[in-house]
Structures are given as structure tokens and as C-alpha cells.
Amino acid sequence: MTPRAADRARYDRATAHLDAPVAVVDLEAFDDNAADLVRRAAGKPVRVASKSVRCRALLERVLARDGFAGLMSFTLAESLWLARSGFEDVLLAYPSADRGGYAELAADPKLAAAVTVMVDDPAQLDLIDRARDGGREEIRVCLELDTSLRLLGGRVRIGALRSPLREPAQLAEMARSVVRRPGFRLVGVMAYEGHVAGVGDLVAGRPLRSRAVRVMQNAARKELAARRAAVVRAVRAVAPDLEFVNGGGTGSVQHTAAEDAVTEIAAGSGLYLPRLFDNYSSFTGRPAALFAQPVVRRPGVGVVTVLGGGYPASGVAGPDRSPVPYLPEGLRYDPQEGAGEVQTPLHGSAADDLLIGDKVWFRHAKAGELCERFDELQLVEGDAVVATVPTYRGEGRTFL
């Protein structure tokens, strides 16, 4: 029996009493992945990206481990909810226009002490001030650095369109805008190198593309390391008491941790290890989060149909954004239908061994987005479900 076949047998036994659709997290794999993130961070604390987990019980589990400290959230409403739930260090990774949320933040000492907001434009400070509604608490602020690699005099840009702040002088000026302004305190700098941390460099069957990605990422890491160090020096000249410099992502943990200017690493997807993180030469992990759909039809030889399963991931639409049939091995989508809203035909010799009601296990393309489809996660140890925990959705929280 192959390791994957053994996993399938375990998951089938663990969930035999549950009807599909069902989502599971393999706790042994989850913990192994957490340990690997800490190993690669080489002594620097790992801040957990909550959008990649979206389950309070699992956020608590990973933060209880040595090597992890703090959360990186994705909306202000989520940040406030997490802070009220007892999480004491929440960095909001994106600017917000949530005026009601800012009013709550400015009025509550506990929330203001726990939550740090992201800015990259003085207009965002104006919005926060207008939203205070009489609240006088000091707002903790982090600046975001644009990490993109620019080539040919800026005519070619590789990396996400995020912050407009790129050069040390720009961030220093933004820092001065914060420290001169009553009611704000500058505490951090963040730089997410998604073109390094979130792009695989070992794509099966694509050797030329993989080599090109490695060349790009090597150049991007060198350029960013020098620029990030200069930015941090410039910002610290304005705000000497800066508390943290955050960088990285699951795919670049060890590289970012090697930079002296960086004090903490952000990561989250590596805990679940979705399919987009299979294509990296620098690390391997264990798939920890899966979902199962039930076989409901057998249209013919070598084909079964499962209920639903069309759970695409965000980003540029394409085959890599679809879940992948994982267990049993050897199943593939019908090219005319793909992963469907209400039914998904699957081809392959393994289909002939599947009966009506059997489970087919899938891996989502990205990490936490799976939790927007399920109210609960079944936590599996060995061949048993040891706990059932709610996702954000199961707690009535859908922030985006």
C-alpha cells in the first residue's frame, strides 16, 4: 500500500460515520508542517497568516507552539473579532476603509493595544481620523513596502500591485507623516514578497519555466534584501522604537529569515499545504487539509460523478485554481466539465473501484479559502476524528 493509499484508508475510516461533503485536517501533518516552518525560520518568530487557516481552534493550536507569535489578519472586522477572542497581537495585513471598525478600535483600550493597522498613504490616516467618532485611543500603525522586482527601467514589473511606497525616502516620509500626527504610533514595517513566497519554482513538466522562475526569484531576493535593509534604516531614523519588521511567506521563509533587517516571518499556507505549494525546490510538506465529495453516479466504465466540488481558488482563473482529485490516486477531471457547481465527473481506472456513497478526497488549490465552503473541520489523528471545530463560516463570520 502506498503512503497515499494508507492516508485514504485512514481518512475513510475516520469519517465513516460522516456523510460527505466533509472537510478534515490531519493534525499530525499540520503539526509536522508547523515544525518545518519554525525550522526554516531559524530562530525568528513566525506570525501566522489567519486567512490561510480561518479556524480559531487551529490558530490557537499553532500559536501554542514554540516559534510562533502573533497573527496576521486580512480585514479590520476580523482583527477586532480575534482581539476580542483573546488574541493579543494582530497585524492587519491590508489597508481598510471600515469606518465603523476604526471607531471601535479608537474607543477600546484593549482593542487598540492588540491590533496594528496597515497604511501606505496619508489619506488612510485621514480616513481613520474622520472615523474615530470621539475615540481617543492611540492607533498602532505599520507601513507596507512594495517588494516588486522592476526591470528595464521600471517598464517590467514582477510582483503584486500593493503598496505605492518603494524607496527608502518614500517610507521615511510616510513614517514622518505618522509620527507627527497625534493619535498614531508607528510600530512596524511589512514587506510581502509574493513573487518569491507564493510562486513555485519546480513545476512538474515545465523545466524551462521552472528555471526562469528560479532566476527571477534569485534576482528578486538580492534586490529586495538590499532595499529592505535601506528602508528599515530610513524608517528607524524617524521611529527608533520600531517594534517589528515583517517579511516572507511560506515559500520564502528561510530566505527572508536570513536578512538581518527582518525580525519576524509571516506564514500560514504551509500549515495546510494546499496544491499550489507542491512546486517548490526549497521545501516539502505534508498535505494536511482535504475535503471529500460523495460518489453519486457511475455513468460508465472508468468514470464516476461526485456531488459538487467546484470550489475554485482566487487569482487568475485557470486549471491551477481548481481543487485536485487526490484520493484515490489516478482520477482526473472531464475536460468538458471540470470541477462543477453541482456535479463533477471524474475519469480514471480508480473510478471502477468506487461505489455509490464512497468518498473522493480533494486538495484545494489555496489554503484558508476551503473554510469558506465548510462550517466545520474534522480533526483527524491516526484513523479517528478527535474533535470537530468550527471554521470562521461556522461561527457566522464571513469577512470577505
Side-chain angles (χ1 to χ4, degrees):
M1 182 179 290
T2 67
R4 278 174 60 175
D7 283 341
R8 180 196 174 199
R10 288 196 300 114
Y11 301 146
D12 281 348
R13 287 195 298 269
T15 62
H17 62 295
L18 298 171
D19 289 333
V22 62
V24 304
V25 171
D26 185 326
L27 291 179
E28 181 179 310
F30 182 90
D31 290 344
D32 283 352
N33 292 338
D36 185 65
L37 289 173
V38 170
R39 178 190 62 79
R40 291 195 287 137
K44 293 186 177 178
V46 178
R47 184 181 291 271
V48 183
S50 64
K51 79 177 184 67
S52 300
V53 179
R54 302 193 203 198
C55 170
R56 281 199 300 164
L58 290 173
L59 291 174
E60 291 167 353
R61 182 184 183 92
V62 70
L63 286 176
R65 299 177 63 95
D66 290 340
F68 291 90
L71 295 177
M72 177 177 282
S73 58
F74 58 96
T75 73
L76 182 55
E78 180 210 14
S79 306
L80 300 178
W81 177 63
L82 290 170
R84 288 195 179 96
S85 301
F87 296 95
E88 298 179 348
D89 179 6
V90 184
L91 170 61
L92 174 58
Y94 305 88
S96 176
D98 181 353
R99 290 171 293 182
Y102 283 129
E104 292 181 52
L105 184 64
D108 189 317
K110 178 183 175 182
L111 297 179
V115 175
T116 301
V117 304
M118 192 67 61
V119 301
D120 55 34
D121 190 316
Q124 295 156 352
L125 302 177
D126 294 338
L127 186 149
I128 295 170
D129 270 337
R130 291 194 302 270
R132 285 178 183 270
D133 194 26
R136 297 180 178 274
E137 294 301 321
E138 188 174 61
I139 305 300
R140 293 168 53 85
V141 169
C142 179
L143 307 182
E144 181 169 2
L145 164 68
D146 168 38
T147 66
S148 63
L149 176 65
R150 297 188 183 182
L151 305 171
L152 301 178
R155 293 190 296 275
V156 175
R157 174 194 179 105
I158 301 173
L161 285 164
R162 292 177 63 115
S163 172
L165 304 177
R166 178 173 180 82
E167 301 302 331
Q170 293 176 300
L171 279 100
E173 180 56 34
M174 187 67 207
R176 285 189 283 271
S177 296
V178 175
V179 301
R180 287 195 300 251
R181 195 156 183 156
F184 295 90
R185 179 154 61 100
L186 179 58
V187 299
V189 172
M190 185 195 83
Y192 171 59
E193 53 268 40
H195 51 302
V196 178
V199 178
D201 67 339
L202 191 64
V203 182
R206 304 287 298 276
L208 295 180
R209 172 181 166 79
S210 297
R211 178 173 173 77
V213 169
R214 286 195 291 274
V215 170
M216 176 276 291
Q217 290 181 341
N218 185 55
R221 285 196 297 267
K222 290 178 180 178
E223 186 276 336
L224 179 59
R227 184 158 52 89
R228 180 155 40 198
V231 162
V232 172
R233 286 194 298 270
V235 173
R236 287 195 185 278
V238 177
D241 296 329
L242 205 65
E243 295 176 14
F244 63 86
V245 176
N246 180 281
T250 288
S252 68
V253 171
Q254 65 275 27
H255 303 296
T256 308
E259 295 182 33
D260 291 338
V262 174
T263 66
E264 64 175 40
I265 308 300
S269 294
L271 295 168
Y272 286 169
L273 203 79
R275 64 169 294 198
L276 285 180
F277 286 86
D278 287 348
N279 304 319
Y280 286 78
S281 61
S282 60
F283 78 99
T284 57
R286 295 177 57 187
L290 302 96
F291 69 93
Q293 303 295 113
V295 174
V296 291
R297 285 178 172 158
R298 292 174 52 86
V301 175
V303 59
V304 293
T305 300
V306 299
L307 182 70
Y311 303 157
S314 61
V316 179
D320 66 338
R321 300 291 149 164
S322 292
V324 61
Y326 185 59
L327 302 172
E329 299 178 64
L331 295 174
R332 62 187 184 279
Y333 289 122
D334 184 287
Q336 301 300 316
E337 296 195 46
E341 177 190 11
V342 289
Q343 74 157 33
T344 297
L346 297 168
H347 296 265
S349 59
D352 292 331
D353 295 324
L354 291 168
L355 305 176
I356 300 296
D358 283 352
K359 295 180 175 77
V360 174
W361 295 91
F362 294 78
R363 294 171 64 202
H364 203 267
K366 298 182 78 173
E369 292 180 21
L370 170 64
C371 294
E372 300 298 333
R373 299 286 183 167
F374 290 89
D375 289 341
E376 298 176 336
L377 297 174
Q378 309 298 326
L379 305 186
V380 173
E381 285 186 352
D383 60 359
V385 170
V386 295
T388 300
V389 296
T391 61
Y392 279 13
R393 171 178 140 159
E395 296 199 68
R397 307 285 177 166
T398 51
F399 295 107
L400 283 176

